[in-house]
Amino acid sequence: MAMHELHRRVLAAFSTAFSGAPALVARAPGRVNLIGEHTDYNDGFVLPCAIDFDTLVAIAPRDDAEVHVVAADVGGATDRFSLAGPIAHHPEGGWRDYVRGVLAVLREAGMPARGANIALGGNVPQGAGLSSSASLEVALALALRRLHRLDHLDHTALALLAQRAENDFVGCNCGIMDQLISARGVAGHALLIDCRSLAASAVAIPASFVVMIVESRVRRGLVDSEYNLRRQQCETAARQLGVAKLRDASAAMLAAARAPLDPLILRRARHIVSENDRTVQAAEALAAGDMQRMGRLMAASHASMRDDFAITVPAIDQLVALLQQAIGPEGGARMTGGGFGGCVVALLRASEVETVRAQVRQHYRSPEGEPAIVHICQPAAGAGLAA
Ligand code: GLA
């Protein structure tokens, strides 16, 4: 759905629910990660770009402490709670808890307990691993910052608050990548983010290449429990190696410590250490327009996620192999995001799109027999006011 159509729908939902117009509309994008998976919570490097799919939040102040919310997409579903007392979880969880969580952490961070009317809507594919929830959190945080003139909160601070809402309120132990790229993305570029310092440098996608996202439609099962388990295994590895985070470990340290490390923990650590290295190299390759090197790094990343980190599934491995074959040596493909389903990201020449798309259409089906969904996306700017 085009942006103006989405904007129109969110405004319509706002005026139907609350009458009148919002004070402002904020937007924040979803994301796709080119390389650097599960490295963020190890204080390492990631190379995501924001994508041209957004969540929009229309907001107006109220005179009381109530928050009234309507979701344009979810058939006009609503929520209501008060900022006067503690904010509880909603019994159904889901999108309502992202909204409640962001309001709870912003209030803790000094936002006045003044109510608001909110309409939200988006076109980020949901449940596909493209960070629709992070885009909602960041768009809402930005809307509240503007409404209450919390000018001391820059986009990095908003991303950290959005992550805190997800960690402390929703209960998902995610890293900072999704919220940070949604807040700080740069149009036409990926961002190499150092997840320790939160410094980011923009790397242009070469002009003749495009970012393709392929939704595998593999139902993502066990994601949260497996995600948290990987996180624990990384923490165990860091502890056993005597470093604060796996960011501080090297291949040489792993080789020297081979005897005392449990083989499974060693494999998990090896993925993080090698992935950090690949991510920094990938930013160099992309900046130099060396798409053969980029393709090799993406292939190595996928193999490492499959063999060492064990977060891929057979249908995704097959889809990645199919794409790699169709794309050839210039550019590449790998699973992207937390794993156990979700999407594959590919970089390929714009001139190859139709050939590659045809290969996917012809040769791929999900375990449930569905064809993949292919998107060509434009690396987009991070959160801002919707025009
Ligand atoms: C999810 C998390 C991110 C990151 C990725 C894996 O998207 O939300 O913080 O850990 O998985 O790279």
Side-chain angles (χ1 to χ4, degrees):
M1 187 198 315
M3 177 70 164
H4 60 269
E5 164 63 11
L6 174 61
H7 198 177
R8 199 194 53 71
R9 270 195 334 121
V10 171
L11 288 179
F14 188 95
S15 67
T16 307
F18 309 118
S19 70
L24 62 101
V25 184
R27 55 155 279 279
R31 66 96 186 92
V32 67
N33 190 20
L34 301 183
I35 194 165
E37 226 62 83
H38 287 255
T39 42
D40 61 351
Y41 57 80
N42 288 293
D43 273 7
F45 296 92
V46 293
L47 188 63
C49 52
I51 56 178
D52 49 344
F53 290 105
D54 291 288
T55 300
L56 262 53
V57 171
I59 196 164
R62 291 175 58 92
D63 293 331
D64 55 15
E66 295 261 302
V67 178
H68 292 190
V69 194
V70 59
D73 308 316
V74 201
T78 59
D79 193 21
R80 275 183 186 208
F81 54 95
S82 169
L83 295 178
I87 301 175
H89 292 94
H90 189 277
E92 285 172 39
W95 65 271
R96 294 179 178 87
D97 275 353
Y98 294 109
V99 173
R100 289 174 178 226
V102 168
L103 277 137
V105 296
L106 271 152
R107 191 181 57 179
E108 252 170 57
M111 180 188 81
R114 177 152 170 236
N117 289 330
I118 297 171
L120 48 94
N123 56 14
V124 186
Q126 286 180 17
L130 297 176
S131 294
S132 58
S133 53
S135 75
L136 167 56
E137 292 155 6
V138 171
L140 178 57
L142 179 63
L144 291 163
R145 168 195 191 251
R146 289 289 187 140
L147 190 71
H148 295 292
R149 301 190 200 292
L150 307 170
D151 295 338
H152 60 289
L153 298 175
D154 64 11
H155 279 216
T156 301
L158 292 177
L160 286 163
L161 288 166
Q163 182 200 18
R164 191 184 306 159
E166 183 128 355
N167 290 170
D168 296 354
F169 194 90
V170 177
C172 166
N173 223 356
C174 66
I176 189 61
M177 169 169 71
D178 307 344
Q179 291 80 10
L180 201 75
I181 186 66
S182 179
R184 290 179 47 191
V186 176
H189 294 71
L191 284 192
L192 176 67
I193 301 170
D194 177 336
C195 296
R196 174 167 277 167
S197 68
L198 303 187
S201 53
V203 186
I205 309 282
S208 52
F209 280 77
V210 296
V211 180
M212 178 184 269
I213 297 175
V214 185
E215 289 185 50
S216 69
R217 302 176 85 181
V218 175
R219 305 273 167 274
R220 294 199 303 157
L222 299 173
V223 190
D224 288 351
S225 57
E226 289 292 337
Y227 186 92
N228 290 338
L229 179 61
R230 293 301 176 285
R231 225 185 139 133
Q232 279 165 23
Q233 290 166 338
C234 291
E235 283 158 11
T236 303
R239 215 172 24 250
Q240 293 185 359
L241 291 165
V243 293
K245 294 276 184 173
L246 282 180
R247 152 75 175 267
D248 306 305
S250 63
M253 283 168 79
L254 293 184
R258 198 162 293 246
L261 277 194
D262 173 88
L264 183 125
I265 298 292
L266 175 65
R267 284 208 301 280
R268 302 296 186 254
R270 194 164 59 194
H271 166 72
I272 301 299
V273 169
S274 62
E275 185 79 348
N276 272 329
D277 189 41
R278 281 188 291 270
T279 304
V280 173
Q281 288 192 51
E284 278 170 25
L286 205 57
D290 185 345
M291 298 307 278
Q292 295 212 359
R293 185 177 177 209
M294 185 70 190
R296 287 195 298 273
L297 290 163
M298 290 174 84
S301 169
H302 187 83
S304 175
M305 292 191 289
R306 182 190 62 212
D307 303 336
D308 278 348
F309 218 59
I311 54 172
T312 72
V313 292
I316 293 261
D317 293 336
Q318 202 198 335
L319 178 57
V320 166
L322 172 67
L323 282 157
Q324 288 170 341
Q325 176 82 34
I327 291 167
E330 279 202 296
R334 57 182 285 287
M335 185 189 75
T336 182
F340 306 99
C343 290
V344 171
V345 64
L347 286 169
L348 63 153
R349 282 202 182 278
S351 54
E352 297 294 314
V353 166
E354 289 319 313
T355 319
V356 171
R357 200 196 284 273
Q359 290 286 319
V360 172
R361 194 183 306 129
Q362 204 178 337
H363 298 296
Y364 178 80
R365 290 292 175 276
S366 75
E368 267 114 46
E370 298 148 314
I373 301 173
V374 176
H375 308 277
I376 299 298
C377 72
Q378 306 301 327
L385 290 187

